[in-house]
Amino acid sequence: MTRLLTREELAVDPVDAAHLLLGCSIEAHGVRARIVEVEAYRGADDPASHSYRGRTARNEVMWGPAGRLYVYFIYGMHFCANVVSMTDGEAGAVLLRAAEIVDGVELAAQRRPAARKPSDLARGPARLCTALGITREHNGVDVTEPSSPIRLWAAPEPCRKVNSGPRVGVAAAHDTPWRFWVDSPAVSPYRRGGKRSKER
DNA sequence: ACCCCGATCTCCT
DNA sequence: GGAGATCGGGGTT
């Protein structure tokens, strides 16, 4: 489908990379999904980012060249995947929050028995990873490489209408609208982060 | 040793 | 649509 995204295209500010990624599709382990919701994360200037406090073993790939996958473990049972952006040496990544399965629906459904309808298969960052078979072992995988097990296909056309709002579940930087999505039933529900999440 | 952080599932209303 | 349960890792002290 179309062509693979290039490292050069992704080596930009995460907010720009986030817009670029909407409408693209991610292909992994027999499933292809159209990305409909993402979040941008930066480095030292972004208190919500894993790399806010500097380079560590965990966030190492966020600092490397663009086009690699940054996969992290969460809640003792889930994984979330980001596409690394920015130039080598600077931290930046785009969290893949939700996607529509466009190929391999049956496989995705097997991996996600709890999903009750197709739009729920990759509706949420950890669900997306589960549906596509992405785990810790794929941390650092280059998604711009044709031989890679996980690849990113360019959007057939730019998305017309892009919505934005605060990032989901993050306690910090609540007023930074770096969550971007297109209209789709697969977009995940919004949750405010932090202690104040119950105050509204 | 400790504290903070967060996605999903299953009920329930 | 909301409530409550579930768990391991990262970073700092």
Side-chain angles (χ1 to χ4, degrees):
Chain A
M1 300 88 263
T2 67
R3 59 175 181 85
L4 293 185
L5 244 37
T6 66
R7 171 172 359 276
E8 291 69 35
E9 288 174 295
L10 291 166
V12 294
D13 187 281
V15 171
D16 296 325
H19 283 88
L20 174 68
L21 285 166
L22 285 176
C24 294
S25 49
I26 180 167
E27 181 192 2
H29 312 113
V31 175
R32 193 166 63 90
R34 176 176 174 262
I35 298 164
V36 296
E37 181 189 357
V38 296
E39 284 175 357
Y41 288 89
R42 293 220 224 171
D45 59 342
D46 181 4
S49 172
H50 282 183
S51 48
Y52 179 53
R53 291 180 181 79
R55 198 188 278 238
T56 67
R58 178 216 203 183
N59 64 39
E60 178 62 30
V61 359
M62 272 189 79
W63 301 81
R68 308 226 265 231
L69 218 53
Y70 168 47
V71 182
Y72 63 88
F73 188 55
I74 192 170
Y75 260 90
M77 55 188 103
H78 303 299
F79 295 98
C80 295
N82 302 251
V83 175
V84 173
S85 63
M86 288 297 271
T87 56
D88 194 3
E90 289 185 73
V94 179
L95 172 66
L96 305 179
R97 280 205 60 88
E100 298 169 353
I101 310 295
V102 295
D103 204 26
V105 179
E106 287 190 4
L107 235 190
Q110 279 175 31
R111 294 179 176 136
R112 294 225 53 243
R116 304 197 175 164
K117 47 183 196 258
S119 61
D120 280 346
L121 288 169
R123 180 172 177 258
R127 292 167 167 186
L128 188 156
C129 282
T130 301
L132 294 172
I134 297 172
T135 69
R136 180 204 274 322
E137 70 188 273
H138 303 109
N139 187 41
V141 161
D142 186 344
V143 294
T144 66
E145 193 58 46
S147 62
S148 168
I150 304 171
R151 294 180 297 279
L152 266 181
W153 296 93
E157 60 190 62
C159 294
R160 299 183 211 83
K161 185 188 172 196
V162 175
N163 311 285
S164 67
R167 293 169 289 186
V168 173
V170 300
H174 176 255
D175 52 353
T176 305
W178 285 353
R179 173 188 181 224
F180 305 98
W181 69 97
V182 296
D183 294 329
S184 163
V187 170
S188 65
Y190 179 71
R191 273 175 301 104
R192 181 173 175 160
K195 292 175 185 172
R196 284 181 286 184
S197 62
K198 288 171 187 168
E199 289 180 14
R200 44 177 343 206

